[in-house]
Amino acid sequence: MALLFIEGDLTIRRVQEMKDVLLARLAQSQALEVDLAGVTDIDTAGVQLLLMARRAAQASGKDLRLSAYSPAVAALFGLLRIR
C-alpha cells in the first residue's frame, strides 16, 4: 500500500494542486493510504476533493483509505458526519 502525507491547508487554494497529486498517486498503486495528520485547515473544497478521490478509487477497483485525522479534519468530518 502506498502512503501519501498531506500537510498544511487542504482548502480551496490548494485543491487543484492536491487533486493532481492524489490522482497521480492513485494511478500508480492498487491501494493508497492518505495520512491527514498534518492537515492544519480543511474546508468543504478539501472534503469534496477527498470524496472525489474515494469515488475515483472505487470506480477503478482500487482501495483508498483516509487515516490519522488531524483535529481540523476530525472536527469537520464530525460536523458533516463523514467517516
Side-chain angles (χ1 to χ4, degrees):
M1 176 173 288
L3 183 59
L4 173 64
F5 292 97
I6 298 180
E7 297 181 336
D9 292 349
L10 189 53
T11 61
I12 196 164
R13 293 184 188 112
R14 284 189 68 206
V15 164
Q16 186 58 49
E17 166 196 347
M18 293 310 302
K19 178 182 177 185
D20 295 341
V21 170
L22 262 171
L23 292 179
R25 291 295 298 274
L26 191 57
Q28 296 171 353
S29 60
Q30 189 61 31
L32 177 64
E33 179 177 345
V34 181
D35 185 308
L36 301 169
V39 174
T40 55
D41 189 21
I42 185 170
D43 64 8
T44 56
V47 172
Q48 288 174 334
L49 171 67
L50 295 173
L51 294 175
M52 178 277 311
R54 181 179 285 169
R55 283 191 306 272
Q58 289 173 343
S60 61
K62 297 184 178 191
D63 183 30
L64 178 90
R65 295 181 192 171
L66 305 178
S67 67
Y69 302 162
S70 70
V73 172
L76 187 55
F77 278 17
L79 181 66
L80 298 174
R81 296 183 181 164
I82 297 173
R83 292 182 186 214

